[in-house]
């Protein structure tokens, strides 16, 4: 899909080279639009606490909760906008999702990488 | 014209003639909401559907916003789609008008011209469609029911032409044309259906083997290019309108161009006008001509794209021009037709004197005496070489 899109809509295309009417002659192209960079806070998932009730998966407006074999395994940070709905709908007695400022999360990741 | 298709002369109102055109065009989808004076068009057409005369999917929606939205959706899906409206209904369609044109969907929509409220009024003027003049739609205006019928059939081909792909409004004066009965010559159903052909778009949404993304977010990096392409389509529309007019003339013997001139070639004074008033003006022009006054007229059929070059050439020999606007733009410098005509004449080698008459608002009648007054004023302007004022209000109580 990604290759198809790049082929039909070049970034530097002149007005007369574009498909008519603003269409993109390919499907599922929202995936190419990385909305993750709109985010200032990110959800952090605690696998130990999670009961896999799927509330977060059902409520996520960006299909950014990753589920494998019926288990929540994390988030798609390329598309998660950090709205916090997942943390809000996570049952209070479970509280498996916490929202953390991206700056802190990035600093944490950097520290871990340096330690390695 | 050598070969002319058989025609059926019957008495019809403008609304009936347009509904007949729609039946013959046989669109796949019509989504509409009734509003005076357009109501009859969709009412009659819905009878055609329920009587099985057409196999159109008729969608009775809850508002004009929904009517245009459903029409946009159907057109994008790959269906030949139409709606119809007037005045406040057109106003309620506003945001979707731009989505139709920006998405380059060849929708055809008859608009029965009616004054926009307020104060509330249901009678004819052009404030509705003139307000939508920058919405990216092609605007065809009709002088009578015959022209409304003929414009409808040509509009389908214009809208869907590969060089154009733009929606078209077919405008006719509310009540004066929509409810006035005249002799109208209809073509055979088969002739119309052969003329309009079948609807084909490059990327219909229902082509599930070739999925597309329709209506995606179009930001700083692409929106401008899409608008530039849209502007070019409007430029190209001019030649397409002329080509389709030629082709239609082969069927009917009547040639439609960008505008019609009446006794203009040797005219010293002329008016520029849109819609049914042209018929009244022709009678007055004949009277003036019999008195030796060289009066003429230019009746605009295509307002968008505006045929500025052709109008400049057609009017450049005239000494004094009056532009009659059935809408005020409240710019403080007259109506929209005046602005466009005056701008077109700026490049004329010998610029004529041009004045504006706003008339007929809210269905106020315009008669021969009023048009005669305009020509008398023009003769005075020609003789003195001076305009008294740019904007005049014709037929208002002073």
């Amino acid at each position: 899909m990604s290759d198809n899109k790049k082929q039909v809509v070049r970034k530097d295309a002149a007005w007369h080279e574009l498909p008519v009417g603003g269409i993109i002659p390919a499907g599922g192209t929202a995936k190419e639009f990385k909305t993750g960079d709109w985010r200032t806070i990110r959800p952090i998932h605690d696998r130990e606490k999670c009961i896999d009730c799927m509330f977060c998966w059902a409520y996520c407006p960006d299909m950014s909760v990753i589920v494998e074999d019926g288990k929540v395994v994390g988030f798609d940070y390329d598309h998660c906008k950090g709205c916090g709905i997942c943390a809000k709908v996570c049952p209070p007695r479970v509280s498996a999702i916490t929202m953390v400022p991206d700056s802190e999360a990035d600093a944490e990741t950097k520290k871990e990488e340096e330690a390695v | 014209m050598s070969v002319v298709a058989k025609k059926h002369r019957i008495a019809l109102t403008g609304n009936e003639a347009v509904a007949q055109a729609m039946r013959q065009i046989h669109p796949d989808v019509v989504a509409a909401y009734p509003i005076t004076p357009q109501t009859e068009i969709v009412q009659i057409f819905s009878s055609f559907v329920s009587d099985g005369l057409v196999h159109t999917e008729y969608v009775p929606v809850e508002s004009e916003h929904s009517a245009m939205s459903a029409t946009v959706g159907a057109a994008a899906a790959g269906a030949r789609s139409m709606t119809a409206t007037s005045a406040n209904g057109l106003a309620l369609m506003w945001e979707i008008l731009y989505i139709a044109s920006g998405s380059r969907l060849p929708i055809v929509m008859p608009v029965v011209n009616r004054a926009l409220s307020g104060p509330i009024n249901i009678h004819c003027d052009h404030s509705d469609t003139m307000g939508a003049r920058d919405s990216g739609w092609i605007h065809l205006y009709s002088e009578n029911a015959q022209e409304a019928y003929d414009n409808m059939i040509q509009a389908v081909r214009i809208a869907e032409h590969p060089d154009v792909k733009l929606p078209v409004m077919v405008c006719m004066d509310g009540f004066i044309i929509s409810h006035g009965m005249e002799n109208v010559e209809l073509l055979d159903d088969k002739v119309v259906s052969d003329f309009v052909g079948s609807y084909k778009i490059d990327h219909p949404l229902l082509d599930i083997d070739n999925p597309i993304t329709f209506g995606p977010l179009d930001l700083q990096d692409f929106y401008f290019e899409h608008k530039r392409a849209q502007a070019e389509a409007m430029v190209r529309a001019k030649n397409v309108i002329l080509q389709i007019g030629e082709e239609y003339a082969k069927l009917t013997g009547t040639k439609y161009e960008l505008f019609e001139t009446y006794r203009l070639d040797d005219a010293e004074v002329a008016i520029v006008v849109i819609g049914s008033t042209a018929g009244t003006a022709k009678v007055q022009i004949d009277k003036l001509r019999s008195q030796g006054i060289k009066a003429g007229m230019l009746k605009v059929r295509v307002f968008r794209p505006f045929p500025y070059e052709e109008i400049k050439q057609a009017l450049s020999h005239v000494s004094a021009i009056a532009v009659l606007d059935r809408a005020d733009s409240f710019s403080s410098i007259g109506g929209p037709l005046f602005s466009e005509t005056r701008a077109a004449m700026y490049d004329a080698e010998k610029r004529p004197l041009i004045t504006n008459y706003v008339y007929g608002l809210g269905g106020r009648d315009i008669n021969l005496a009023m048009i005669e007054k305009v020509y008398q004023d023009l003769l005075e302007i020609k003789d003195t070489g001076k305009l008294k004022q740019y904007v005049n209000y014709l037929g208002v109580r002073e």
Side-chain angles (χ1 to χ4, degrees), chain A residues 9-11 13 15 18-27 29 33, chain B residues 102-104 203 211-214 216-217 221-222 225-226 228-229 232:
Chain A
V9 186
R10 285 193 346 261
K11 276 269 177 200
W15 63 265
L18 289 171
V20 169
I23 66 153
I24 304 167
T29 53
F33 191 16
Chain B
S103 304
R104 308 288 300 279
H203 301 285
I212 62 160
T213 306
F214 183 86
L217 191 62
D221 51 353
F222 279 107
E225 278 72 23
H226 288 128
R228 175 67 186 85
E232 192 67 15

Side-chain angles (χ1 to χ4, degrees), chain B residues 320-337:
Chain B
I321 298 166
V323 180
L324 272 60
D325 267 292
R326 203 162 196 148
D328 201 343
S329 69
F330 304 105
S331 67
S332 82
I333 186 71
L337 184 58

